[in-house]
Amino acid sequence: MSESTETGHASEEGGSRRDFLGMLTMATAAVGAASFAWPIIDSMNPSAEVLALASTEVDLSAMEVGQSITVIWRKKPVFIRRRTPEEIAEAEAVPMDELTDPQSDDERVKNPEFLIMVGVCTHLGCIPLGQAPGDAKGEFGGWFCPCHGSHYDTSGRIRKGPAPRNLEVPEYEYLSDTLVKIG
Amino acid sequence: MQSNEPGPEFTGVVKWIDRRLPIFTMMSKEYQQFPVPRNLNYFWSFGALASITLIVMIATGIFLAMQYQPNTELAFNSVERIMRDVNYGWLIRYIHMNGASMFFIVVYIHIFRGIYYGSYKEPRELLWILGVIILILMMATAFMGYVLPWGQMSLWGATVITNLFSAFPIIGEPIVTWLWGGFAVDNATLNRFFALHYLLPFVIFAVVFLHIAALHIPGSNNPDGIDPKGPQDTVNFHPYMTAKDMIGIAVFLLVYAGLVFYAPNFLGHPDNYIPANPLVTPPHIVPEWYFLPFYAILRSFVADWWFFQVFLGWWGMTAKLAGVLAMFGSLILLAVLPWLDTSRVRSCKYRPVYKWLVFLFVIDFAILGYVGGKPAEGWYVVVAQWATLYYFFHLLILTPFVGWMERPKPLPASISQPAVAPAE
């Protein structure tokens, strides 16, 4: 860089005009490359057409007390159980300090008779057992995940095992007394 | 290293090409005259075996890809069509499927060789790190390949493993959705896994090239772990090492063919012959055998484990995140082994204490593999937890301390004169 020092381009701090132009070019190239990285990365996210399948309507009128059904929402199973009065009482009676993820039963239901939640274990995504009449329901009478042994109670709350959170309650609304829209 | 002979003289077309593109000179220098220590044992054939397996996997994989359909509606049936209708499809698929197991067998033995004879030490640290990168790439490739048949184990294995990333706070869930391209492991996931499963073997091939290039600078380590002092300590790669490797390859191919023809499903899971069902999880999900030790480490971290509670739980770390970090950490730690091992002696042949610790480490790894395949309950959990602790204890505590404390046996003066007077 003898030329630049001779012609007086070097500043007091030691950077020359050429260094500045070099850094500016590099920075422009880096920003340019980064601006194309995002479209590539985002192309792997769910597209609008996948997001559009986001709600499902379910008719609850045919469900008997004590019966469970599984419906599909966003390609995931949603568990709906029409709980017996004993199951509701049991879920309401649990003291908060016994829970890993404290949530009262009323925070988890709109109508206590119908418990609606995503049937995906919050540990590593397996589908818990407990929907079919012969299934293992775990130590708390709700659901049991066979993969790594998580037990959920009759409100779908985690009681024992590695799962960190209660079974997720999706957004839903009652369109009428027996018709519910999930999502 | 110095080669033993002058370069070869080429004639005719070979000479014409070589003057313009010296590939023949290069091959001759790196694979013919290349000097290797004269005392190499059969453990030094496993690198060649791994290279051959990689080529077999790429070759069979290309032909499978010509018949396979990466779509959730078609994938399972297209694999069954390969098995039943495609001419010799069963053979190509069984070679590919068992090739994955053979690849991990030879690579695990290759890694053991590196650990026992201290091949990772100065000046071969970068060579070793490239090897760890190859191992991680192999694991990613094998995992994605196992998803492609779209059986029950494919779907649920993919679900459990991708869900590991949800353990990270805040960014976890968006990362999982991004990996899936949806809200569950589905068609978008299968498609990208197929694309990556086709890509990664070529990336592995490139890293293997660098691994070999880095090997050919200092040359091979050897069972004595001392550097060759001159031509009397080495032999040419060809025909000495090539002949020896051919015997290893023959034995390897016999075992491989035995698996392919007599027990092609011995190392697989029957559940993967059930088409994927997003509404039913099989009661017992296990990964392929070569992932079991790492799976056991992952599952060891549960909220009521004393070790977790004493060291991690109280400052807000979740058991799930601890398990994920420990599993990735168990691999990453291998990369820094050259700096964890403080001993200047390479080979365990001259390390009376560390030698036994290496054997214990292998046994520990085998125990982890065994319990990793069992349900996570009762004694299996306790054994997995202690074996996990020992894995890290070995690498982080025993390896550096034994390196300082141990008094190694006297090293031979050179490879060609192994007999030396014992030290007083």
Side-chain angles (χ1 to χ4, degrees):
Chain A
M1 291 288 112
S2 57
E3 192 200 347
S4 61
T5 38
E6 279 165 22
T7 51
H9 282 180
S11 69
E12 306 264 305
E13 294 81 39
S16 68
R17 184 186 172 111
R18 181 171 291 183
D19 291 339
F20 174 74
L21 288 172
M23 285 192 291
L24 194 67
T25 312
M26 292 300 287
T28 309
V31 170
S35 67
F36 281 95
W38 175 246
I40 301 265
I41 292 167
D42 195 39
S43 76
M44 287 174 71
N45 270 321
S47 59
E49 141 268 349
V50 175
L51 294 170
L53 297 171
S55 69
T56 300
E57 288 182 17
V58 187
D59 183 4
L60 303 175
S61 60
M63 283 183 78
E64 304 278 343
V65 173
Q67 192 192 351
S68 297
I69 61 168
T70 304
V71 297
I72 306 280
W73 171 65
R74 288 179 164 190
K75 305 258 178 165
K76 287 194 253 196
V78 171
F79 290 171
I80 305 180
R81 185 182 283 187
R82 184 164 182 186
R83 299 186 294 180
T84 60
E86 300 82 64
E87 286 175 329
I88 299 171
E90 204 182 315
E92 285 174 347
V94 179
M96 286 301 109
D97 56 3
E98 279 185 23
L99 298 171
T100 311
D101 179 11
Q103 235 184 349
S104 69
D105 191 54
D106 345 312
E107 290 171 57
R108 298 181 51 79
V109 288
K110 293 198 168 146
N111 168 0
E113 217 175 327
F114 292 98
L115 175 64
I116 300 176
M117 57 197 185
V118 177
V120 173
C121 183
T122 56
H123 181 226
L124 292 172
C126 298
I127 311 295
L129 298 171
Q131 287 293 91
D135 280 358
K137 290 185 161 58
E139 288 173 23
F140 300 88
W143 288 265
F144 171 68
C145 183
C147 290
H148 305 95
S150 293
H151 298 253
Y152 295 93
D153 67 11
T154 55
S155 188
R157 291 172 297 200
I158 180 67
R159 299 297 290 276
K160 187 180 171 189
R165 281 172 291 112
N166 302 333
L167 290 176
E168 186 199 339
V169 175
E171 270 185 46
Y172 65 88
E173 57 179 323
Y174 282 95
L175 301 175
S176 74
D177 283 352
T178 55
L179 188 66
V180 70
K181 181 179 153 207
I182 301 169
Chain B
M1 278 203 283
Q2 293 287 308
S3 63
N4 292 356
E5 291 166 25
E9 286 297 319
F10 297 119
T11 54
V13 177
V14 172
K15 185 178 178 185
W16 188 91
I17 294 173
D18 200 68
R19 286 178 64 184
R20 285 154 182 84
L21 181 68
I23 47 174
F24 294 100
T25 299
M26 192 272 274
M27 289 301 288
S28 166
K29 184 165 165 273
E30 303 298 340
Y31 285 103
Q32 187 178 351
Q33 306 160 66
F34 181 67
V36 292
R38 60 191 285 170
N39 59 339
L40 295 189
N41 60 30
Y42 277 110
F43 276 118
W44 267 264
S45 290
F46 282 83
L49 297 182
S51 312
I52 283 176
T53 316
L54 176 63
I55 290 163
V56 169
M57 293 302 277
I58 290 177
T60 51
I62 287 170
F63 290 96
L64 289 173
M66 293 179 190
Q67 309 286 346
Y68 172 76
Q69 303 283 341
N71 179 298
T72 51
E73 300 288 318
L74 305 170
F76 187 88
N77 289 338
S78 76
V79 172
E80 285 307 301
R81 188 181 156 268
I82 290 170
M83 292 304 291
R84 295 156 198 239
D85 296 340
V86 173
N87 299 335
Y88 293 103
W90 60 272
L91 179 62
I92 300 174
R93 174 161 178 265
Y94 276 158
I95 290 174
H96 195 76
M97 204 173 110
N98 287 287
S101 286
M102 293 306 291
F103 206 172
F104 277 95
I105 291 171
V106 297
V107 162
Y108 281 146
I109 295 173
H110 188 64
I111 293 170
F112 165 75
R113 192 286 317 272
I115 292 176
Y116 187 83
Y117 293 112
S119 301
Y120 49 82
K121 287 186 200 183
E122 203 271 336
R124 297 185 184 82
E125 302 95 325
L126 198 54
L127 172 60
W128 172 260
I129 291 172
L130 287 166
V132 175
I133 292 171
I134 293 169
L135 175 66
I136 293 170
L137 286 170
M138 275 174 65
M139 290 178 135
T141 310
F143 161 68
M144 289 193 247
Y146 195 59
V147 177
L148 303 184
W150 207 242
Q152 275 290 66
M153 281 293 179
S154 300
L155 170 63
W156 293 104
T159 301
V160 167
I161 300 301
T162 48
N163 259 307
L164 293 178
F165 292 93
S166 72
F168 293 99
I170 304 162
I171 54 164
E173 293 291 339
I175 285 180
V176 172
T177 305
W178 176 72
L179 287 173
W180 289 343
F183 300 107
V185 174
D186 198 15
N187 200 47
T189 325
L190 181 62
N191 258 277
R192 63 189 58 181
F193 278 18
F194 179 59
L196 293 171
H197 184 70
Y198 206 110
L199 167 72
L200 287 182
F202 297 97
V203 177
I204 293 175
F205 195 88
V207 183
V208 167
F209 182 84
L210 295 177
H211 188 68
I212 294 172
L215 168 69
H216 281 217
I217 300 301
S220 293
N221 183 34
N222 62 78
D224 284 329
I226 54 174
D227 294 327
K229 300 264 189 312
Q232 72 281 7
D233 287 347
T234 61
V235 290
N236 284 357
F237 189 83
H238 180 74
Y240 297 97
M241 203 57 204
T242 44
K244 190 163 184 148
D245 281 349
M246 286 310 282
I247 295 174
I249 289 167
V251 174
F252 166 77
L253 289 179
L254 278 175
V255 175
Y256 191 175
L259 264 183
V260 167
F261 292 108
Y262 293 98
N265 290 300
F266 176 67
L267 295 167
H269 298 287
D271 274 24
N272 218 29
Y273 285 103
I274 301 170
N277 180 352
L279 295 185
V280 179
T281 306
H284 185 46
I285 299 182
V286 268
E288 290 283 82
W289 70 267
Y290 36 80
F291 291 135
L292 292 175
F294 302 100
Y295 192 58
I297 291 175
L298 167 76
R299 292 197 308 188
S300 293
F301 288 81
V302 289
D304 54 2
W305 183 23
W306 64 268
F307 179 83
F308 173 76
Q309 290 182 337
V310 171
F311 292 100
L312 303 163
W314 57 270
W315 53 271
M317 168 81 82
T318 63
K320 185 169 152 184
L321 181 58
V324 172
L325 294 177
M327 186 184 70
F328 289 120
S330 65
L331 280 166
I332 309 259
L333 263 190
L334 286 179
V336 294
L337 186 58
W339 294 276
L340 290 172
D341 185 349
T342 52
S343 173
R344 289 176 173 200
V345 174
R346 290 200 190 105
S347 173
C348 277
K349 217 169 143 181
Y350 303 102
R351 298 191 60 189
V353 180
Y354 194 64
K355 173 188 195 165
W356 294 106
L357 296 177
V358 169
F359 288 134
L360 277 178
F361 188 60
V362 172
I363 292 169
D364 185 63
F365 194 69
I367 290 173
L368 280 170
Y370 175 76
V371 294
K374 296 290 171 188
E377 56 199 28
W379 278 101
Y380 294 128
V381 178
V382 179
V383 173
Q385 288 170 339
W386 282 103
T388 296
L389 283 188
Y390 187 78
Y391 184 98
F392 289 99
F393 182 68
H394 173 89
L395 289 175
L396 292 172
I397 313 286
L398 289 179
T399 300
F401 279 94
V402 170
W404 283 317
M405 318 293 266
E406 180 184 51
R407 173 185 285 204
K409 292 185 195 168
L411 294 175
S414 75
I415 291 171
S416 52
Q417 292 170 296
V420 286
E424 307 158 33

